[in-house]
Amino acid sequence: MEYDPRSPRSFAASYVSNSRFHRFLTINSTTHGPLNVTYGDYGHEPDKNGTTPTLLFMPGMFSSRYIGICLHAIAEKWGVRLLVVDRPGMGNFTEVPLAQRVSTWIEVVPQLLAHLGIQHVSLASHSAGTIYLLNTLYHCRDILYPEKPMVTLLAPWVDPAKSGSTSMKMAQYIPTPAFKLWHHIPRLFLVKDGSATAASGTVIANLTASFPSSSGDEQAKNRLYISKNYGLDLDQQKEIDALMMQYMFEENTVGSNSEALQCLRKEPNTWGKCEDYEVFVRELVERERGRGGVLLKVQAFFGETDSMIGKKGQAYVERCWHQTGEGDLRGAVEFDSMVVPGTDHDNLVSSAEVWERIFKKMVA
């Protein structure tokens, strides 16, 4: 077949290969020595005076920095710079033992931002990225914008003991040694699904149970919305998704083995400061009160259906942030949440309308 530089496939190859999306840095760690770190820099190009609103996004299991490619056009149009950093064992980020994943991440974030000349960011996470966001919020609080500190939780991960999710409880019975091969399994599901966003936890559910999902219909509607509002036609989006999947699994994904064990609580004490969300929020609120100044704004988005955390998990997250009453957060934290119609645990993260809400608050 003759090469056509104007074809959707050619466009996607150029789009996905953008050098901004595949950057590399070596960071000196106090516990591991040199660490290779890979990250993507998406959305609006930073301006010379350093005022471009910037969001550090921590994606779900498997998604890695490649998830940022789905969000690049949206962030660019809204004037937001979006950073997505691979976690240990993903991309070309050096693998570290499970017990040191969180501490390694906390050591890397400030050094990476300093390397990029970024003083302040907003934070966002999806699914398993919740663990890393909350630890970043606790240990690296000063990286948030002092005049507008903002945190966004998309389908936040919940301890299976708190969510009561049937699929998660069943997954906890999978023998720990089996997770040494975990990073090979998603190829079977993700290639069939055709979307890099269906990666954070759906594989676990597919291995343990069958759940109704609106993924297909919602994905089609979302692609149409992006086509109308962000200049990527449907064929281009499909080719971009396909190449993202191919390239992501050509790189290392072994870190997902540790992350699955982490999310399922197969090994103790791997969640850092957020081992217990209720305790975490209480401590955070006290620290925020001690800082004085403006309110820390925390917003959570939940899928209409979510086989990973369910309604019980959602209620648990909301209860933790409200504690015994909204007044408990007064003077420290402002929390709000919403359910996004038509979405589930995974396709929530690719919803253009959700990201519009986030970016709009950042640039307001």
Side-chain angles (χ1 to χ4, degrees), residues 182-227:
W182 184 253
H183 62 297
H184 294 301
I185 297 174
R187 289 173 172 83
L188 303 174
F189 297 99
L190 301 180
V191 171
K192 179 180 178 181
D193 179 86
S195 170
T197 63
S200 66
T202 295
V203 178
I204 300 175
N206 285 335
L207 287 175
T208 55
S210 177
F211 290 88
S213 173
S214 59
S215 294
D217 290 343
E218 188 62 27
Q219 183 185 58
K221 287 190 291 185
N222 191 59
R223 281 179 173 165
L224 183 60
Y225 186 87
I226 291 173
S227 176

Side-chain angles (χ1 to χ4, degrees), residues 169-362:
K169 286 183 177 180
M170 293 175 67
Q172 287 181 312
Y173 287 102
I174 299 174
T176 296
F179 286 92
K180 291 181 179 179
L181 302 174
W182 184 253
H183 62 297
H184 294 301
I185 297 174
R187 289 173 172 83
L188 303 174
F189 297 99
L190 301 180
V191 171
K192 179 180 178 181
D193 179 86
S195 170
T197 63
S200 66
T202 295
V203 178
I204 300 175
N206 285 335
L207 287 175
T208 55
S210 177
F211 290 88
S213 173
S214 59
S215 294
D217 290 343
E218 188 62 27
Q219 183 185 58
K221 287 190 291 185
N222 191 59
R223 281 179 173 165
L224 183 60
Y225 186 87
I226 291 173
S227 176
K228 289 181 177 179
N229 295 282
Y230 295 99
L232 294 174
D233 69 38
L234 299 180
D235 288 337
Q236 289 172 340
Q237 292 182 61
K238 290 176 182 178
E239 292 293 347
I240 288 170
D241 269 0
L243 284 179
M244 284 168 55
M245 293 304 308
Q246 176 186 329
Y247 293 170
M248 182 171 69
F249 281 100
E250 286 176 357
E251 295 186 358
N252 192 14
T253 58
V254 72
S256 59
N257 298 346
S258 293
E259 208 144 284
L261 294 172
Q262 184 180 40
C263 287
L264 292 172
R265 298 281 203 179
K266 297 286 283 185
E267 292 191 19
N269 304 317
T270 61
W271 286 31
K273 286 301 298 184
C274 62
E275 289 287 341
D276 184 311
Y277 284 0
E278 292 182 81
V279 173
F280 173 86
V281 173
R282 285 199 296 270
E283 291 185 4
L284 179 70
V285 167
E286 288 305 310
R287 285 171 60 124
E288 289 298 311
R289 285 201 179 105
R291 295 177 67 91
V294 299
L295 290 173
L296 169 65
K297 296 188 177 182
V298 179
Q299 58 183 345
F301 293 89
F302 296 95
E304 184 176 16
T305 60
D306 191 328
S307 61
M308 300 296 100
I309 67 170
K311 293 301 180 183
K312 184 177 178 181
Q314 176 185 335
Y316 168 73
V317 171
E318 292 172 328
R319 185 170 66 252
C320 286
W321 284 99
H322 286 304
Q323 298 289 322
T324 57
E326 195 167 356
D328 288 352
L329 307 182
R330 191 172 301 153
V333 177
E334 178 183 292
F335 175 77
D336 63 81
S337 64
M338 70 171 293
V339 174
V340 182
T343 61
D344 59 28
H345 186 85
D346 279 318
N347 65 34
L348 177 69
V349 73
S350 60
S351 170
E353 294 182 70
V354 167
W355 286 101
E356 285 174 349
R357 287 176 176 268
I358 296 169
F359 296 152
K360 186 176 181 178
K361 283 190 176 183
M362 289 183 63

